[in-house]
Amino acid sequence: MSKVVVRATAVAGAAGALVAAVGLPWAWYGDRAVRLTEFPGWAWYVGAAVLLNVVTAWTLVGPGRRGWLPLVAGGLGVVTIVAAVVVTANYAEVFLGPVVPAVRPSLGPGGPVAVLAGLTSLFAVVGAGFSRSR
């Protein structure tokens, strides 16, 4: 994989995480869009995504071989994806609790985009490893 493709993939992963965290609704409640910050545990996803993208950037631009960085990025990628899935899975509990409303909440695009962004960042780290090994 060329360095240009790897860097473009890393930028796409970071942009996807940013758009998912700030721009997209994570759930819909009737007409109301529910943002990430309204979910319990949202800071876990944001912290993991920021660390993943920092380690991804460090892996790509860091001079020399650092064999432990891809492992750290892989672990952070798993944590980021799991955090996004857990936050997304709790979208109904944000509103419902013990009460059953007349309007049912539905899943928004924020969670799936967050998972895809995490996978894209991991793909960039793997691609950087392959481009260096050549």
Side-chain angles (χ1 to χ4, degrees):
M1 224 188 224
S2 72
K3 289 184 180 184
V4 173
V5 173
V6 170
R7 289 181 180 164
T9 305
V11 169
L18 180 65
V19 167
V22 178
L24 295 176
W26 284 54
W28 292 99
Y29 187 62
D31 293 1
R32 183 174 174 260
V34 183
R35 304 290 176 194
L36 174 64
T37 56
E38 297 181 48
F39 284 82
W42 66 271
W44 289 102
Y45 166 72
V46 171
V50 167
L51 285 175
L52 172 63
N53 287 302
V54 166
V55 170
T56 299
W58 192 16
T59 302
L60 298 179
V61 300
R65 291 187 170 206
R66 292 188 175 111
W68 54 274
L69 276 176
L71 295 175
V72 172
L76 285 171
V78 169
V79 169
T80 302
I81 292 168
V82 167
V85 169
V86 167
V87 169
T88 302
N90 292 326
Y91 75 94
E93 283 78 24
V94 171
F95 308 103
L96 297 179
V99 178
V100 178
V103 176
R104 194 175 87 176
S106 61
L107 183 64
V113 169
V115 170
L116 287 174
L119 290 172
T120 304
S121 294
L122 286 177
F123 184 71
V125 171
V126 170
F130 283 125
S131 69
R132 285 189 185 141
S133 65
R134 287 184 176 181

